[in-house]
Amino acid sequence: MNKKVEEIQNWYRNEREVFNYSIMDIGEKLKNLAEKGLIWVLKDLKDTTESERIVINYYLDKYRAVQIYDNLQHLFPIPPSNSQCAITPSKSSKKDTPLQNKQHTLKVRDSKQFFGYKKAKKLEEQIIELCKNFPSYEVDHIVGQIMRSAESIKKRIQIGEQIYIREKFNQYSIAIGSAKETSAWLQVSLGQKYITQNQFEELDTMVDHVIGILTRNLSNIKEKEGKGLDLPSPYTPNVKNFGAYDNALLLVEKIYEVTRKREFWKEKNLVSDMRKQATSCVANIAEAHQLYRKKKFRFFNDSLKALGGLESSLETSVSKGIISKESLKGISELRISIRNVLSANMGNISNEKAG
């Protein structure tokens, strides 16, 4: 590999570590490389995330005409890292790169031998089997969502088995969020009597076990290999103790109840929208309970957007004379209560140092 190419790739890896693998933060770095004709260097980088690949391909397409492929050794030097640990081609610096520092890297293991992966795989398999008995009209909604979130747990654990500590925290955070979302879909399924109480308890216990395993792993890494890195706390709050979550589940119950009325029988699209918006609200609240504040804020905001969409659909049902405004009073009160709690929490997050 061209030494300059390797230098740029190593510099980018280091920048990624500094910014906690946040695509929002490293996006400017990618744009800068694209403008200078060097984004192509990252095209075949093996350890990039899906989000990174999307951004890299976007900038490569946008700035394709200015990409420089020859005489790289004569180009300007790579700018220094914000952490003052940028990798340079000098022999002395290679010994000191964070990527080769044992305190900042992990030994890669076979994810399929990891107990947490095995648990996540078994959970996904049982959910797939369980979903075969769901009503056909839920195939594109609850079934699709719960299978997606369950698959995400396993997938993120597998991606997380790599050398980079911050990326492991990032992938495990997504896995934990997906696990909590899976639990939310299980609770929605129980509420609609698609599954039994015993089935719910068995699968929800498996979800808790996976979260516990991931949390313990991250805690050990933070205490040992992660010393000197500003890593987030691996301990996440229990979403079931969050008042807005219970109210969101109750909101789902009420939306399903009202949309089963005879007046809605000819309004399939409206019914589908209302149910998807209500369940999206509870799913996003659940997924928000993970490691990073920025992600928590984003999922809370997505939950607010779902509430806004639900409000619009409810207004449409009133305008069409399908249901009266008075009969929706309980739903409106729940929706406002959830919105107020989420808004207050988002305000607190904004006042804290971003995670």
Side-chain angles (χ1 to χ4, degrees), residues 3 5 43 98 134 138 150-151 206 235 242 269 308 333:
K3 287 185 178 180
V5 170
K43 173 70 175 175
F134 277 51
E138 292 289 12
E151 193 272 340
M206 289 180 68
Y235 300 100
F242 187 54
N269 289 337
E333 290 175 350

Side-chain angles (χ1 to χ4, degrees), residues 4-108:
K4 192 69 175 183
V5 170
E6 186 176 6
E7 177 190 345
I8 295 169
Q9 290 180 345
N10 286 338
W11 168 82
Y12 176 70
R13 287 190 179 102
N14 188 59
E15 290 297 289
R16 204 167 49 174
E17 284 273 316
V18 172
F19 289 108
N20 288 340
Y21 287 75
S22 168
I23 198 64
M24 294 175 64
D25 291 327
I26 63 177
E28 196 61 32
K29 300 289 182 181
L30 294 173
K31 182 180 179 182
N32 183 259
L33 281 178
E35 290 173 339
K36 291 177 178 177
L38 297 171
I39 192 71
W40 65 271
V41 170
L42 305 181
K43 173 70 175 175
D44 297 319
L45 204 60
K46 302 297 185 183
D47 53 359
T48 51
T49 64
E50 183 178 355
S51 297
E52 286 177 284
R53 289 192 291 274
I54 291 172
V55 177
I56 289 169
N57 287 330
Y58 168 78
Y59 282 130
L60 179 60
D61 183 63
K62 184 175 181 180
Y63 294 94
R64 190 175 299 277
V66 301
Q67 296 306 294
I68 302 170
Y69 299 94
D70 299 316
N71 300 317
L72 298 183
Q73 65 272 20
H74 300 304
L75 292 177
F76 47 82
I78 294 298
S81 164
N82 287 1
S83 67
Q84 301 303 314
C85 296
I87 299 169
T88 64
S90 65
K91 292 182 179 179
S92 61
S93 66
K94 289 183 178 178
K95 296 179 180 180
D96 299 322
T97 64
L99 299 176
Q100 294 177 346
N101 186 328
K102 291 183 180 180
Q103 291 184 341
H104 292 172
T105 59
L106 295 168
K107 181 178 179 181
V108 181

